[in-house]
Amino acid sequence: VLDGLLAQCGTVENCEQVNTDSETAVVNVTYASREHARQAIQKLNGYQLENNALRVSYIPDETSDMDGTQRGTENGRRPGYGPRGGLRGGSPSSGMPPKPPHADIPVRLLVPTQYVGAIIGKEGATIRNITKQTQSKIDVHRKENAGAAEKPISIHSTPEGCSAACRMILEIMHQEAKDTKTADEVPLKILAHNNFVGRLIGKEGRNLKKVEQDTDTKITISP
């Protein structure tokens, strides 16, 4: 429903949910041009959606020119603003600092479905604790791919925050595997964007070899 509404205002380049709050959905939207973003702000702010009012505001993009021109789109970079739409009611977007550039690339993990409950914890206590300690936003996509053996988890944070969250999630899975005797070893599975895999491997596999040597790990990239 939201995708349809957003598309009425212009060309949407990217749309992602960025919080794990159950009462309030926060969605970051990037439009192809600032004009489209302005139209979305005007049309959708206060819009009633399933008995909730949308609250929409700009996210300044620090990597773009702030002189009001459209150069940001002409040279292939993202335009300066994208509206953030959140359902009203204690939205965590209020008072948040602008998103740093690296936050647009979440770390995405694939975890065995049987460990998802332990990662979330009773009434969400464990995932809230990880989120708080690592200052991350973590989405557990437990409803995706019904019946699948693995579920994706997205972590939005600084590189340090993502690393800390990964470590905590992996420790929970190791403990759960040990307690339930379901596996001797739980590998860390990271979903890498196709655009970055070449850079990750490096010329003649040098980057990947260096990571393996520096961290004493065995890394396999699935074909």
Side-chain angles (χ1 to χ4, degrees):
V1 175
L2 191 58
D3 284 344
L5 277 175
L6 295 167
Q8 288 173 22
C9 304
T11 306
V12 176
E13 285 188 346
N14 188 39
C15 178
E16 60 172 349
Q17 186 169 337
V18 295
N19 80 309
T20 53
D21 232 87
S22 56
E23 294 172 13
T24 306
V26 177
V27 180
N28 285 353
V29 183
T30 308
Y31 276 97
S33 76
R34 293 185 185 187
E35 190 50 45
H36 292 173
R38 283 196 191 98
Q39 285 178 25
I41 293 273
Q42 289 167 358
K43 283 185 182 178
L44 299 179
N45 208 8
Y47 185 94
Q48 289 289 323
L49 179 64
E50 297 173 6
N51 299 323
N52 293 287
L54 294 179
R55 187 163 63 76
V56 191
S57 58
Y58 283 124
I59 309 174
D61 181 353
E62 293 163 1
T63 64
S64 184
D65 299 306
M66 300 305 281
D67 56 6
T69 68
Q70 283 299 322
R71 274 162 51 198
T73 52
E74 286 166 13
N75 64 16
R77 287 193 310 195
R78 286 187 169 184
Y81 293 97
R84 168 190 285 167
L87 298 182
R88 188 182 290 160
S91 169
S93 66
S94 52
M96 273 177 65
K99 269 182 35 167
H102 56 247
D104 286 332
I105 306 169
V107 168
R108 301 193 77 219
L109 309 179
L110 263 187
V111 305
T113 302
Q114 69 262 35
Y115 303 143
V116 169
I119 292 165
I120 293 171
K122 192 176 181 183
E123 296 175 355
T126 306
I127 200 80
R128 272 200 304 274
N129 181 43
I130 298 171
T131 301
K132 192 175 178 182
Q133 284 196 39
T134 62
Q135 296 188 323
S136 309
K137 288 191 177 299
I138 303 173
D139 292 316
V140 181
H141 308 282
R142 63 193 307 185
K143 290 179 183 173
E144 282 186 22
N145 308 332
E150 295 171 313
K151 299 288 183 183
I153 293 179
S154 302
I155 305 169
H156 301 256
S157 187
T158 61
E160 296 77 18
C162 286
S163 295
C166 274
R167 181 185 289 273
M168 291 178 80
I169 288 169
L170 195 56
E171 283 171 356
I172 290 167
M173 290 198 293
H174 281 159
Q175 190 59 49
E176 192 67 9
K178 188 178 167 187
D179 291 348
T180 57
K181 296 182 172 59
T182 47
D184 295 328
E185 187 184 54
V186 182
L188 177 65
K189 288 191 178 181
I190 300 173
L191 287 164
H193 198 290
N194 282 342
N195 293 355
F196 304 137
V197 173
R199 175 78 60 91
L200 184 64
I201 296 169
K203 195 173 181 183
E204 296 172 358
R206 284 176 201 153
N207 289 355
L208 195 61
K209 281 176 193 158
K210 185 177 188 312
V211 174
E212 287 187 316
Q213 286 167 2
D214 290 354
T215 58
D216 193 25
T217 50
K218 172 72 184 124
I219 301 172
T220 308
I221 295 181
S222 71

